[in-house]
């Protein structure tokens, strides 16, 4: 069954807009692959949601305790994967959603609740799955490899490092900026002669007047923006060569642009990222922003401007954010929508095309191109071979690869290949895990895999799927690994 996605988050001037904007980034990653509905409460700042989104509002009379039932009444659990971002989606909420048979992805940044979600994404650096309490089925996407960045920022992350004089400052504290930190930094920055321009981006829920009055007095140096599109935000950031920001989504976006950042935190969920980024020398340390006076900001800005090793922090930013997290997150969602069917005769041309793919041939022990006549004869034999389990892997009902088991007297040999449009998503491990369930429901013979030593991607996929190394040997003049999976491997 083809699945759709329910995106679920709230945000307003009281709670801030961080969860909304973070989920917008995930929508950006998945919108070309899945149809979706964005679900939020009536009291959210709906104007912040892009106008092209299909939005469904939860009525005021639906509380968080009975929200799961409302969702099940309005959306078919067998059709939708739900992606939720917000502190209210705790253990109790997740358990209710799972009991109603939704597939659930939870975006976490607190590492507190017991996780009942199928997938948990936490893009803080250094986080490990062992830090969580979770169900045995829960899968994790952890670290900056899964950074929740919008497409324009992923594109920026792939670009080379730029360096220059620090004279144009970017400031953003997002959302409502309840401590009015934007104004404090602005007042501090106008007193520093080296800073030629100041660009301040205000959040959608910002409602204070003083900064506008201050701008009138310093209009030659100070620029204010709000309601920026993604493209415009990237453009403003690229006007700047250093920044002040909390360690939230905006910080990750600045790291994608690549510049020295005076980074700190003002709410709990930012503190963990701050500590990790500090240990990796990615930012100029500011600590707890809520304790800062205007003079404190002025001192820190002057300190940053005189710091001799800022290029190292920019290189560290590039190392952490490679611009490929959209592919990895798509893979996590796709892993929930994998199915298998046995190959049929109408798969002849499809499998022929896949067999002659450049990467497939390179990783095969026989790397020669295959003729259509030869493939047809081989394929016909497999159609009637009772000792061959020939599976077509599908993602959301789209053919995505092959897993084939050749059953012999005491063992079976497995081979797996991924169709090129689905590569880079980490799906090989899922194909191996889930097809092994099918295999061991019919056979108890161990499975062996023969892999070229230089094929590191396949080695990692098989190891993640529970296969263990038996030996290293020479196969057709190639140094190769032999991996094994036993029937009692725990599936």
């Amino acid at each position: 069954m083809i699945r759709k996605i329910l995106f679920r988050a709230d945000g307003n001037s009281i709670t801030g807009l961080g969860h909304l904007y973070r989920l917008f980034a995930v929508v950006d990653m998945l919108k070309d692959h899945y149809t979706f509905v964005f679900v939020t409460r009536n009291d959210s700042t709906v104007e912040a949601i892009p106008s092209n989104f299909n939005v469904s509002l939860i009525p005021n009379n639906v509380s968080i305790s009975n929200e799961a039932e409302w969702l099940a009444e309005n959306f078919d659990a067998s059709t939708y994967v739900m992606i939720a971002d917000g502190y209210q989606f705790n253990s109790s909420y997740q358990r209710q959603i799972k009991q109603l048979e939704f597939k659930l992805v939870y975006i976490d940044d607190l590492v507190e609740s017991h996780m009942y979600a199928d997938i948990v994404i936490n893009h803080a650096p250094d986080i490990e799955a062992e830090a969580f309490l979770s169900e045995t089925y829960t899968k994790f996407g952890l670290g900056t490899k899964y950074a929740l960045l919008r497409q324009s920022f992923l594109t920026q992350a792939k670009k080379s490092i730029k360096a220059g004089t620090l004279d144009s400052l970017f400031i953003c504290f997002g959302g409502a900026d309840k401590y009015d930190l934007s104004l404090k930094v602005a007042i501090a920055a106008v007193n520093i002669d080296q800073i030629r321009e100041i660009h301040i981006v205000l959040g959608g829920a910002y409602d204070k007047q003083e900064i506008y009055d201050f701008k009138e007095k310093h209009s030659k140096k100070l620029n204010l923006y709000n309601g920026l599109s993604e493209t415009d935000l990237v453009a403003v950031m690229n006007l700047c060569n250093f920044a002040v920001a909390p360690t939230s989504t905006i910080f990750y976006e600045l790291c994608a642009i690549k510049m020295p950042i005076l980074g700190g935190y003002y709410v709990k969920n930012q503190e963990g990222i701050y500590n990790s980024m500090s240990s990796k020398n990615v930012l100029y340390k500011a600590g707890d922003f809520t304790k800062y006076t205007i003079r404190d900001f002025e001192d820190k800005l002057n300190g940053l401007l005189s710091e001799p090793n800022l290029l190292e922090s920019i290189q560290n930013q590039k190392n952490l954010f490679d611009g490929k997290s959209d592919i990895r997150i798509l893979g996590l969602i796709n892993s929930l929508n994998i199915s298998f069917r046995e190959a049929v005769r109408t798969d002849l041309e499809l499998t022929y095309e896949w067999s002659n793919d450049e990467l497939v041939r390179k990783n095969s022990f026989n790397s020669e191109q295959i003729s259509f006549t030869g493939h047809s004869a081989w394929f016909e034999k497999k159609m009637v071979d009772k000792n061959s389990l020939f599976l077509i892997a599908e993602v959301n009902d789209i053919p995505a690869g092959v897993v084939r088991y050749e059953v012999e007297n005491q063992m079976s040999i497995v081979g797996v290949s991924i169709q090129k449009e689905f590569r880079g998503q980490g799906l090989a491990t899922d194909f191996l895990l889930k097809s092994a369930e099918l295999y061991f429901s019919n056979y108890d013979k161990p499975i062996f895999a023969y892999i070229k030593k230089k094929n590191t991607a396949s080695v990692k996929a098989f190891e993640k799927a529970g296969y263990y190394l038996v030996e290293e040997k020479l196969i057709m003049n190639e140094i190769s690994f032999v991996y094994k999976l036993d029937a009692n491997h725990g599936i």
Side-chain angles (χ1 to χ4, degrees):
M1 178 179 291
I2 297 176
R3 288 187 181 271
K4 306 172 185 177
I5 296 178
L6 286 181
F7 290 100
R8 176 73 187 92
D10 301 318
N12 54 42
S13 60
I14 298 172
T15 62
L17 303 178
H19 297 293
L20 284 175
Y21 283 115
R22 191 162 63 176
L23 207 54
F24 295 165
V26 185
V27 173
D28 204 26
M29 295 174 179
L30 303 176
K31 65 185 180 184
D32 293 335
H33 305 273
Y34 289 88
T35 58
F36 69 92
V37 179
F38 199 97
V39 182
T40 191
R41 300 197 68 84
N42 262 325
D43 61 0
S44 285
T45 304
V46 180
E47 310 85 68
I49 301 174
S51 59
N52 61 334
F53 282 18
N54 180 12
V55 178
S56 179
L57 297 178
I58 300 174
N60 292 331
N61 63 345
V62 176
S63 67
I64 193 67
S65 62
N66 59 16
E67 181 180 304
E69 288 81 1
W70 182 87
L71 289 169
E73 290 171 2
N74 288 272
F75 303 97
D76 183 356
S78 67
T79 301
Y80 285 92
V81 173
M82 181 177 173
I83 304 179
D85 187 340
Y87 304 137
Q88 68 272 39
F89 308 127
N90 56 20
S91 297
S92 175
Y93 182 95
Q94 292 181 32
R95 188 167 55 245
Q96 290 179 61
I97 290 293
K98 288 299 298 172
Q99 287 172 346
L100 291 168
E101 300 185 353
F102 282 97
K103 292 288 186 181
L104 176 62
V105 179
Y106 179 60
I107 297 174
D108 173 73
D109 51 18
L110 293 181
V111 197
E112 288 184 350
S113 298
H114 183 104
M115 299 296 165
Y116 290 89
D118 297 279
I119 293 172
V120 174
I121 298 173
N122 182 314
H123 67 182
D126 301 324
I127 195 75
E128 300 287 344
E130 290 73 21
F132 293 84
L133 295 174
S134 66
E135 296 298 288
T136 56
Y137 57 76
T138 302
K139 182 177 179 179
F140 293 91
L142 304 177
T144 56
K145 290 195 305 181
Y146 295 92
L148 303 172
L149 291 169
R150 290 174 286 179
Q151 198 61 52
S152 295
F153 294 100
L154 294 174
T155 299
Q156 290 286 315
K158 296 171 186 175
K159 294 184 177 181
S160 58
I161 293 171
K162 59 180 182 180
T165 303
L166 303 186
D167 60 2
S168 182
L169 176 63
F170 178 91
I171 302 168
C172 182
F173 287 90
D177 188 7
K178 64 179 179 179
Y179 298 104
D180 212 3
L181 298 169
S182 300
L183 178 60
K184 288 183 178 180
V185 179
I187 295 171
V190 296
N191 294 323
I192 300 174
D193 292 338
Q194 182 176 328
I195 300 176
R196 179 175 50 84
E197 297 177 2
I198 303 167
H199 299 270
I200 304 176
V201 175
L202 301 174
Y206 189 91
D207 59 0
K208 304 171 184 67
Q209 179 60 37
E210 288 83 357
I211 200 165
Y212 295 97
D213 297 335
F214 186 72
K215 188 242 186 292
E216 289 299 314
K217 297 177 182 178
H218 300 277
S219 57
K220 291 184 179 180
K221 197 171 189 178
L222 193 61
N223 302 278
L224 290 181
Y225 311 87
N226 51 34
L228 290 182
S229 68
E230 176 183 342
T231 301
D232 289 340
L233 179 58
V234 170
V236 171
M237 286 183 174
N238 275 313
L239 292 174
C240 304
N241 41 48
F242 74 117
V244 181
T247 46
S248 59
T249 299
I250 196 71
F251 180 86
Y252 277 30
E253 291 173 344
L254 287 163
C255 286
I257 301 291
K258 294 175 283 290
M259 67 180 71
I261 306 169
L262 175 62
Y265 57 90
Y266 60 84
V267 292
K268 183 178 180 181
N269 71 304
Q270 298 168 357
E271 190 171 355
I273 293 177
Y274 172 80
N275 291 332
S276 294
M277 290 299 185
S278 296
S279 69
K280 295 181 182 300
N281 189 22
V282 176
L283 50 75
Y284 191 80
K285 301 176 186 178
D288 187 351
F289 278 140
T290 65
K291 298 178 180 179
Y292 268 55
T293 63
I294 294 169
R295 180 59 183 271
D296 292 330
F297 276 118
E298 188 172 345
D299 289 344
K300 279 292 183 181
L301 287 170
N302 280 315
L304 184 153
L305 291 171
S306 61
E307 169 60 46
N309 298 316
L310 292 175
L311 189 60
E312 181 183 347
S313 71
I314 300 173
Q315 181 60 56
N316 292 337
Q317 292 170 8
K318 185 168 179 58
N319 293 341
L320 284 175
F321 299 92
D322 63 5
K324 299 177 182 178
S325 56
D326 55 340
I327 301 299
R328 299 186 185 103
I329 288 173
L330 174 62
L332 290 176
I333 307 306
N334 281 342
S335 72
L336 297 174
N337 300 321
I338 294 171
S339 59
F340 294 95
R341 60 173 175 80
E342 292 198 36
V344 294
R345 284 181 169 81
T346 53
D347 293 315
L348 171 63
E349 292 188 4
L350 180 68
T351 55
Y352 170 69
E353 180 184 342
W354 289 353
S355 296
N356 276 322
D357 176 85
E358 182 179 354
L359 186 63
V360 172
R361 297 272 36 92
K362 178 182 176 182
N363 290 330
S364 299
F365 288 102
N366 177 10
S367 59
E368 297 296 321
Q369 287 286 300
I370 300 170
S371 69
F372 185 73
T373 301
H375 179 78
S376 298
W378 172 86
F379 190 85
E380 184 59 35
K381 288 180 181 178
K382 293 303 171 188
M383 290 296 95
V384 296
D385 187 352
K386 294 181 180 179
N387 291 319
S388 179
L389 181 59
F390 192 167
L391 301 173
I392 302 294
E394 297 187 328
V395 172
N396 220 23
D397 286 357
I398 299 172
V402 167
V403 185
R404 187 164 51 83
Y405 295 89
E406 298 296 336
V407 183
E408 301 180 357
N409 289 333
Q410 302 298 323
M411 56 182 275
S412 291
I413 301 172
V414 66
V416 60
S417 64
I418 309 292
Q419 200 259 353
K420 61 183 178 181
E421 281 78 9
F422 289 89
R423 289 176 192 155
Q425 300 180 25
L427 292 174
T429 296
D430 294 288
F431 286 3
L432 290 167
L433 281 166
K434 295 183 179 184
S435 66
E437 294 180 23
L438 294 174
Y439 170 85
F440 284 121
S441 68
N442 293 287
Y443 305 96
D444 59 3
K445 300 174 183 180
I447 306 169
F448 284 79
Y450 300 91
I451 310 167
K452 290 181 179 180
K453 186 175 182 178
K454 61 188 178 184
N455 186 0
T456 55
S458 285
V459 168
K460 290 178 182 178
F462 275 87
E463 289 180 346
K464 288 180 180 178
Y467 285 74
Y468 61 92
L469 181 64
V470 175
E471 63 176 322
E472 182 177 320
K473 64 188 297 187
L474 195 67
I475 301 174
M476 296 181 68
N477 295 319
E478 288 278 357
I479 301 173
S480 304
F481 292 136
V482 180
Y483 277 86
K484 183 181 180 183
L485 188 70
D486 297 305
N488 61 352
H489 67 302
I491 287 182

